[in-house]
Amino acid sequence: MTGNRQRLIYLAPALFVVALGLIWRSHIFPLSPFAKKYGADALWALLVFLLIRLIQSRARIWASAGIAFGISVAVELSQLYHAAWIDTMRATWLGSLILGSVFNWPDIPAYALGIIVGILIDLRLPR
């Protein structure tokens, strides 16, 4: 399979995860606050993993997982930093979705779970 076709295989799951994440955070699913919060975190990290695979489809899966986890943890740790410019970005709907707003260490295991799901999805995709 050519590189571009292989990359496109990751586009459909990534778009599905975006849609599911937006629905997940809405009031459409009657989820507990715990499931809503940490499920959304897992979906966010899953999306990061799929986007990395979309960009670097030929990279080793564990390298992609490590990069996705590193980005997820870095974004979480960045929530400890407060400057006017980044807090202004976090105050927007899109900025809040991408950057989060408040550091919460239990988010990190949720990110790991999302990336593990990503690995399992990746192993099932056609090559």
Side-chain angles (χ1 to χ4, degrees), residues 10 49 61-62 117-127:
Y10 295 99
F49 175 80
I61 193 169
W62 295 107
V117 169
I119 291 167
L120 296 174
I121 290 169
D122 192 284
L123 294 172
R124 305 274 298 156
L125 292 174
R127 300 280 164 222

Side-chain angles (χ1 to χ4, degrees), residues 16-116:
F16 177 78
V17 169
V18 168
L20 182 59
L22 292 173
I23 292 169
W24 193 275
R25 280 295 187 122
S26 73
H27 298 289
I28 294 172
F29 291 141
L31 300 170
S32 71
F34 180 88
K36 187 171 279 216
K37 164 86 173 97
Y38 296 108
D41 290 339
L43 287 169
W44 186 88
L46 171 57
L47 178 61
V48 171
F49 175 80
L50 291 170
L51 292 175
I52 289 168
R53 298 299 286 163
L54 178 72
I55 295 166
Q56 293 285 323
S57 63
R58 294 184 185 262
R60 294 183 189 265
I61 193 169
W62 295 107
S64 297
I67 291 167
F69 188 70
I71 289 170
S72 299
V73 171
V75 169
E76 188 66 31
L77 290 173
S78 78
Q79 294 166 13
L80 294 169
Y81 175 72
H82 293 282
W85 68 271
I86 197 163
D87 286 340
T88 300
M89 287 175 42
R90 289 182 184 128
T92 67
W93 176 75
L94 186 59
S96 176
L97 284 176
I98 295 170
L99 299 173
S101 56
V102 177
F103 175 80
N104 186 29
W105 75 264
D107 290 350
I108 294 171
Y111 298 148
L113 179 62
I115 292 166
I116 290 167

